Every structure is written in structure tokens, then in C-alpha cells.
Amino acid sequence: MLSMIPYSHGISLGSGEVSSPGCVLSQLLVYPQPAWWWDMARSRNGLDSIITKYVYELLQKECHLKKVTLPVDATESEPKSFIFMSEDALTNPDKLLVLIHGNGVVRAGQWARRLIINKDLDSGTQMPYIKRAAEEGYGVIVLNPNENYIEVEKTKAQVQLSSDSSDEPAEKRERKDKIQKETKKRRDFYEKYRNPQKEKETMQMYIRDNGSPEEHAIYVWDHFISQSAAENVFFVAHSYGGLAFVELMIQREAEVKNKVTAVALTDSIHNVWHQEAGKTIREWMRENCCNWVSSSEPLDTLVESMLPDCPRVSSGTERHELTSWKSFPSIFKFFSEAMDAKNSSVKPAPTRRSNRIRYEEL
């Protein structure tokens, strides 16, 4: 019998008893795990790592995506990232779906870590989008915009250099160093208990051309999306992912307009004024984008906006992290209507047109 290990999010680790029967932990805890697994699971960072690896595994085994290393010309010794894509992502002549999650601890294939832990995989991951896309004949590319660096252990020389770099008087620095050492000793003792996986001082080594979500989106566009055979490219971008998409459009406006058919944003935090998006970009977004925002209104109800960019409609939930899941059926309908409108060489379908007209009347 495994002992119960209390976890701060109201989840008990150890016997499979968790706060929600459908959450990912119930699937991870049905079998006894080795001692190191439980040591890792005791800490928040360790649990994040376990969930991330588990979702990566599901993307490959259940969604049949392949892992592609970035940069594409990376040397063996340099830091690397990766994305996931379907086998036909670059060769599908018809449709390509690109998924971009928000900022924070989430990684490729995830919308919200909180939902994965406390609710279920459907609401917290991008798997429903990937599976639906496959059923409807889309190629798929899953971005990984938060994988910007790797952590490596500092050498003794680097640790000493960082402590000796101050311009303070020697006596004051010695007193400060003594206090810092005592503080570090207490912190390291606590950290070793809380997270046995992290005991050394580390430094960040950024991944070439992928050092931020915005850089990552542009890199994947240049090396994959723009090179794909798909006549119709569709984006789903959540939260900070919407900001990354707008930045991509600012940097590659002509290419995006030529290749992208429609963009679905979910509670995007982009700002066309702060990002200095030009008039032609704002006009294109009004015609080709829709933002499903957190709102108490019923799903797809128009929501007033102060910004002159894309229409905003309700996602049917007031919870930011649930917007991608709640708007899921509406987004694929939106894509289908956009593609039909493009193929028939007429204005967008009624839902999009009525939203645009009512938006402009406001």
C-alpha cells in the first residue's frame, strides 16, 4: 500500500485518490511509482515536469505527432527546443492548423496546467483540437513558445565570479556574503527537502532564435509554416499566444495575409496599440480573426471592445484558462465558414459578417 502524500492543490498523491476522477494524476497514480517519482511529485516544479513529460508522450502516442528539434541546424552541443507536428503538416495541400498556448509553465500540447491537474486532459490540453483536426483533414503544428532556454549547472568559477562582481567595500561585502551564505544554507536545506531534484546553482542558456515566445513563433513560421503546402493555414492562439501571433503578423505581414485563412484567439492579451500594429493589419484582423473572451454571456455572444482590431465574442465562461476548451466547437465552425467563404469568393459567412457589422456599428 502506498502512503498518502498531501499536495497543496487539494490532491492526494499516492493511492490514486485525487480531486477529480478525470484529471491526469488519476491516470499517473493507478500504478505504484518508484521512490524518485514521489520525491519529484512532492514539489510543484517536479509535478510540472511529470505532467509535461506525460503530455509529450500522449502527443506522440495518441495524437501521432512527431517531435522536431529546433533550431533546424542545431549543433550537438548547443541548447535545443522542439515542436510537434503531424506527418502531413508540410505536405497537406489543403489545411494546416497551428496551435499556440499562453505564457508561464505550460509547454507544447497544454492550455492550462491547473485544468490538467484538477479537471481533465480534454479541457487542459490541446489534444481535442489535434484529434478533431486530424478527423477533418488538417495537418497540425504544435508550437512550444515557452521552451526558450535550458538550465545548466554553474561551474565553481562562475559561482565565484557572480559573488565577487560587486563594487561594495570589502568589509561590507564580507558581512553581506556571510548573511547570504547563512540564508542560502537555510534555503538550500528547505529546497533539498521540498525539491530533491534541484540542489545546485544553475544558469540559463537561451536557445538560438527561440529565446522568447515571439522569436519562437517567427522562427517556426519561417522554417515550417511558410514552407508548408497548405493553401489554408489556421491559427488557434491562447492568451499570450495571441500577442505572439500579432507580433508575427507585424514582422511577416504580407506572408501571413497570403497564407492564413482565419485566426481564432482565446482570451488573447494582444494590444494593437502597444504592439504598434498598422492600419492594414488591424483591418485584416477585423476580417479574419475572432477573439473568444472570458465572459458571463452565452457562447458566441458579441462582446464590446475598446480596441479597433478583431471582433470579440463570449467563450461561454468567465474563467480565462477554460476559454480554449469552451469555445472549441465554435472555433472549428468558424474555420469551416472562413474556408467556405474563401472558396466561394464571397464575404465571410453570416456569423462572422454579422459580428463585424455589429462591431463596426459600436
Side-chain angles (χ1 to χ4, degrees):
M1 175 71 68
L2 294 171
S3 60
M4 296 296 290
I5 302 175
Y7 185 63
S8 60
H9 289 257
I11 300 173
S12 294
L13 304 180
S15 69
E17 295 181 15
V18 291
S19 59
S20 171
C23 80
V24 66
L25 291 180
S26 65
Q27 300 180 44
L28 291 173
L29 301 177
V30 292
Y31 302 109
Q33 301 288 354
W36 66 263
W37 195 96
W38 294 110
D39 285 340
M40 181 179 287
R42 282 190 182 97
S43 76
R44 177 72 202 203
N45 290 340
L47 185 57
D48 287 346
S49 178
I50 289 170
I51 291 172
T52 294
K53 291 177 181 177
Y54 182 63
V55 173
Y56 286 164
E57 184 178 312
L58 292 176
L59 292 180
Q60 294 174 291
K61 291 186 176 180
E62 286 197 17
C63 299
H64 310 295
L65 303 184
K66 61 181 180 180
K67 188 176 179 181
V68 179
T69 301
L70 305 181
V72 293
D73 59 346
T75 63
E76 188 174 341
S77 59
E78 74 172 299
K80 303 173 188 67
S81 179
F82 50 87
I83 57 174
F84 292 90
M85 63 171 63
S86 61
E87 290 292 341
D88 67 338
L90 302 182
T91 59
N92 189 316
D94 191 18
K95 298 180 290 187
L96 174 65
L97 177 65
V98 182
L99 302 174
I100 314 179
H101 60 62
N103 209 353
V105 297
V106 290
R107 294 295 186 268
Q110 303 176 36
W111 290 129
R113 188 68 55 83
R114 182 189 304 176
L115 296 176
I116 296 173
I117 293 174
N118 294 324
K119 191 171 172 59
D120 53 40
L121 287 168
D122 281 348
S123 61
T125 74
Q126 298 171 351
M127 289 171 59
Y129 279 86
I130 298 167
K131 291 180 178 180
R132 173 77 175 268
E135 291 171 2
E136 297 192 6
Y138 290 77
V140 177
I141 295 180
V142 177
L143 270 64
N144 203 6
N146 293 336
E147 193 76 16
N148 308 129
Y149 58 84
I150 62 170
E151 287 194 350
V152 295
E153 184 181 336
K154 284 185 177 181
T155 64
K156 289 184 178 180
Q158 288 170 327
V159 173
Q160 184 65 33
L161 180 64
S162 61
S163 63
D164 290 347
S165 58
S166 173
D167 292 331
E168 294 175 341
E171 185 179 343
K172 184 177 180 180
R173 189 167 65 246
E174 286 177 7
R175 289 198 306 270
K176 188 175 179 180
D177 287 345
K178 184 178 180 181
I179 294 172
Q180 287 177 339
K181 286 178 180 178
E182 291 175 355
T183 302
K184 184 178 183 300
K185 186 177 181 180
R186 291 194 299 269
R187 187 179 67 243
D188 287 349
F189 176 81
Y190 170 73
E191 184 67 21
K192 184 175 181 179
Y193 171 77
R194 191 181 72 88
N195 184 6
Q197 306 300 313
K198 186 176 181 180
E199 301 178 13
K200 304 292 184 179
E201 285 197 49
T202 60
M203 59 184 290
Q204 296 174 350
M205 292 182 62
Y206 281 85
I207 297 161
R208 174 164 53 90
D209 298 329
N210 288 269
S212 70
E214 296 91 328
E215 274 192 5
H216 176 75
I218 293 170
Y219 186 88
V220 175
W221 174 272
D222 289 344
H223 292 82
F224 298 94
I225 304 171
S226 67
Q227 307 298 319
S228 68
E231 187 177 341
N232 300 279
V233 175
F234 301 89
F235 276 80
V236 180
H238 174 63
S239 191
Y240 198 90
L243 185 150
F245 172 79
V246 172
E247 184 62 28
L248 166 65
M249 186 155 194
I250 291 171
Q251 300 299 327
R252 303 288 188 272
E253 180 178 352
E255 295 180 26
V256 171
K257 287 181 177 179
N258 183 57
K259 201 159 182 70
V260 176
T261 299
V263 179
L265 307 173
T266 58
D267 231 6
S268 170
I269 64 169
H270 72 278
N271 187 303
V272 291
W273 293 135
H274 292 166
Q275 293 182 258
E276 300 182 351
K279 181 181 178 181
T280 55
I281 291 177
R282 299 196 302 270
E283 289 174 347
W284 186 90
M285 290 182 67
R286 278 197 293 271
E287 294 288 333
N288 300 280
C289 301
C290 187
N291 190 7
W292 276 263
V293 299
S294 50
S295 169
S296 59
E297 296 293 331
L299 179 64
D300 294 332
T301 302
L302 189 71
V303 177
E304 186 175 357
S305 172
M306 300 299 292
L307 293 175
D309 50 13
C310 58
R312 289 158 45 98
V313 297
S314 173
S315 63
T317 179
E318 294 182 86
R319 292 177 60 183
H320 171 73
E321 67 272 20
L322 271 171
T323 52
S324 298
W325 171 237
K326 292 294 187 179
S327 57
F328 170 61
S330 296
I331 286 175
F332 275 90
K333 181 181 178 182
F334 171 65
F335 289 163
S336 179
E337 291 174 347
M339 191 166 172
D340 289 344
K342 178 181 176 181
N343 291 339
S344 60
S345 300
V346 296
K347 290 291 183 181
T351 301
R352 300 174 70 227
R353 183 167 65 250
S354 60
N355 280 349
R356 188 178 71 256
I357 292 172
R358 290 171 62 190
Y359 173 84
E360 290 171 348
E361 287 174 351
L362 292 172

